[in-house]
Amino acid sequence: MRRRICAGNWKMFKTGDEASAFVEQFVESVAQVPANVETIICPPFTALEATGAALRRTQGGIGRVKLGAQNMHWEKEGAFTGEISAPMLLALGVQFVILGHSERRRYFGETDEYVRMKTRAALLAQLTPIVAVGEPLEIRETGETQEYVLAQVRAALSDLQPQERSRITIAYEPVWAIGTGRNCDPAEANDVMRAIRACLDGLHDVPILYGGSVKADNIAQYAAQPDIDGALVGGASLSPTEFARLAKEAA
Ligand code: PGA
């Protein structure tokens, strides 16, 4: 069976207590999810510790449900007010980190150059970066989606050796489909994702996730596509029952 990944991006939602309550329910439901599906929860920084503790308590060591973060700085430490580094995430049991999410790019000035430095820093620290790419609506309308997205991918990976590239995960998220309920046609998403895979120089095992208004009711259509290995999920990952149902449907 194909390996599947469902990563929940909680964005700026949930306190530590709310995250612990989520984990209690989610871990129970995940017992019914087929073993080929890996689930990752990416809470805000302030809930990472509580989420990690709840996962260890309920799973006896971090097991099937893994912990991820939503961002990090590229330096290990330094005078960077308000930032968090890879070693700080590792110390909390974090294994994955989303980098270059379109909300970071759009609202916080995250550039391809930052994403490149962060991707390299994450890999050096033995974190798995989930590098997010995707075109805004105006690019989609000009028909230049693939060029735009491939330029983001190439920029993020430009510093990496082939063996480092093989340790990343990519998330393709059309910006206009995020949080809008406006779905990208699965076959169209797959075309972009096939092009991403082709630019990874034979690294066939790099997981490529689709993101943008993915729900339990539509994940199966995406998962049926040959180049879609799973999903990066925002809104639908906030409810333990919905996210568990989504993971089950992804199998
Ligand atoms: P959404 O968000 O599932 O709420 O559209 C996806 C994301 O931003 O990763």
Side-chain angles (χ1 to χ4, degrees), residues 174-197:
V175 177
W176 48 271
I178 295 178
T180 57
R182 197 175 150 189
N183 287 105
C184 182
D185 176 74
E188 276 179 36
N190 192 75
D191 284 346
V192 180
M193 293 163 81
R194 187 191 308 118
I196 294 174
R197 205 177 288 288

Side-chain angles (χ1 to χ4, degrees), residues 205-217:
D205 293 335
V206 167
I208 308 183
L209 314 181
Y210 172 76
S213 299
V214 177
K215 311 264 178 271
D217 291 339

Side-chain angles (χ1 to χ4, degrees), residues 3 17 38 70 150 154 177 184 191 197 209 222 247-248:
R3 178 187 173 205
D17 286 349
E38 186 174 326
Q70 299 174 18
L150 294 184
R154 288 195 188 102
C184 182
D191 284 346
R197 205 177 288 288
L209 314 181
Y222 291 103
K248 215 166 155 183

Side-chain angles (χ1 to χ4, degrees), residues 9 11 101 103 173 177-180 211-215 232-236:
N9 172 14
K11 310 192 180 188
H101 188 280
E103 286 151 17
E173 303 196 296
I178 295 178
T180 57
S213 299
V214 177
K215 311 264 178 271
L232 182 56
V233 184

Side-chain angles (χ1 to χ4, degrees), residues 38-55:
E38 186 174 326
T39 54
I40 305 166
I41 300 173
C42 306
F45 290 138
T46 47
L48 280 172
E49 188 158 21
T51 308
L55 287 172

